[in-house]
Amino acid sequence: MYDTATRELAFKLLAQGRTMASVSRELGVAHATIRYWRAHPQPKKPSSCIRCCGVPRPPAPPGSYAYLLGLYLGDGCISSYRRGVHGLRIACSNGWPGLMDECAAAMLAVRPDSRVFRVPGQGCHMVTSLWKHWPCLFPQHGPGPKHKRVIELADWQKEIVSAHPWPLVRGLIHSDGTRFTNWTTRIVGGQSKRYEYPRYMFTNMSADIMRLMTDTLDSLGVAWKRTNHKNISIARRESVALMDLHVGPKY
């Protein structure tokens, strides 16, 4: 890698009529590099991807990224288009317009100079953003359904989730979870009485994503119970109160 001053000096010498060989010898730059510079006078633009740059950096703001990661792991995918462009697509039910807005806001926060648009589907909209480097920010991207392949967080993703666990949980619940009112009956004084209480459920076919969710809940002190291999329930009063404070229902 040569600095800009060396490149500009090479162009100045070539403009004076010097041969590429003499410029190569004087500057100590390979002859093939001088030839490439002459054929491509405009330097390549540096990558706009924070993961592909010289010193990779984590996405920012981290809270928005953690929320978007949760949405992606739940109801998201990355599709490939022409010329190396990828589309980050999150399926959002038409019944939750607020979720669509939050999803779009998170995409714009992580990638401010992108465009976000909504593609209508059956009962939902695909909130979508096009960029060549979405797979760099979501290395879990791969062929086939998520539950049929290994889903592991990169070390830099683990650091973000460790520092911002609630946005991840919120994204997972907003994609593959729900908050609803459960009920049961008890015999009191010889009579059956109905009791209602709020409850959160999370459903995912991937054992890896399910483990990520439960490990994060454990770290937050949220009690959960597995109802089967793809569902967990959060029903204890204190845990529901925590979820209501940091997650809340879809809207």
Side-chain angles (χ1 to χ4, degrees):
M1 179 66 68
Y2 299 95
D3 57 28
T4 304
T6 302
R7 184 186 180 97
E8 291 177 351
L9 180 56
F11 282 122
K12 184 181 295 184
L13 295 175
L14 290 172
Q16 294 173 0
R18 298 275 295 276
T19 65
M20 287 190 291
S22 66
V23 174
S24 173
R25 287 193 299 271
E26 180 171 335
L27 300 182
V29 178
H31 189 279
T33 301
I34 299 295
R35 185 188 308 116
Y36 178 85
W37 285 351
R38 192 173 70 170
H40 304 86
Q42 296 298 326
K44 288 184 177 180
K45 294 182 179 180
S47 173
S48 60
C49 176
I50 56 177
R51 301 301 307 165
C52 293
C53 59
V55 181
R57 307 186 308 277
S64 296
Y65 175 78
Y67 177 68
L68 192 59
L69 175 62
L71 293 178
Y72 164 74
L73 291 176
D75 282 330
C77 67
I78 295 178
S79 302
S80 300
Y81 300 100
R82 294 182 299 174
R83 299 180 181 179
V85 175
H86 297 278
L88 173 62
R89 305 192 302 148
I90 310 292
C92 298
S93 170
N94 291 338
W96 315 115
L99 171 57
M100 292 188 205
D101 293 340
E102 285 203 55
C103 177
M107 285 185 181
L108 287 172
V110 173
R111 174 69 175 157
D113 54 351
S114 66
R115 290 181 57 198
V116 177
F117 48 97
R118 308 178 189 193
V119 182
Q122 185 173 1
C124 70
H125 277 71
M126 300 298 293
V127 181
T128 305
S129 175
L130 302 180
W131 188 31
K132 291 184 177 181
H133 296 280
W134 280 122
C136 301
L137 269 63
F138 296 96
Q140 290 70 36
H141 168 61
K146 297 188 189 78
H147 68 277
K148 293 185 177 181
R149 49 190 170 89
V150 176
I151 300 295
E152 292 182 345
L153 297 188
D155 289 342
W156 58 268
Q157 290 178 304
K158 292 177 182 177
E159 292 179 2
I160 291 177
V161 170
S162 178
H164 303 272
W166 278 117
L168 174 74
V169 171
R170 192 164 188 263
L172 288 170
I173 290 293
H174 281 186
S175 57
D176 275 345
T178 185
R179 182 191 187 278
F180 62 97
T181 300
N182 201 13
W183 64 272
T184 187
T185 58
R186 292 180 182 176
I187 302 299
V188 179
Q191 295 184 347
S192 176
K193 289 192 175 183
R194 176 180 172 126
Y195 292 88
E196 296 183 348
Y197 59 95
R199 181 182 186 185
Y200 283 85
M201 291 287 293
F202 177 71
T203 302
N204 198 287
M205 291 289 292
S206 168
D208 292 335
I209 295 175
M210 185 66 75
R211 189 179 308 110
L212 173 62
M213 176 61 149
T214 55
D215 286 350
T216 305
L217 291 176
D218 287 342
S219 72
L220 293 167
V222 175
W224 54 272
K225 181 179 179 180
R226 189 179 293 275
T227 59
N228 54 45
H229 72 283
K230 64 177 182 178
N231 290 293
I232 64 169
S233 166
I234 301 169
R236 290 188 181 179
R237 181 179 301 175
E238 298 81 2
S239 295
V240 171
L242 270 177
M243 295 288 286
D244 283 345
L245 180 62
H246 295 282
V247 178
K250 306 177 194 178
Y251 63 97

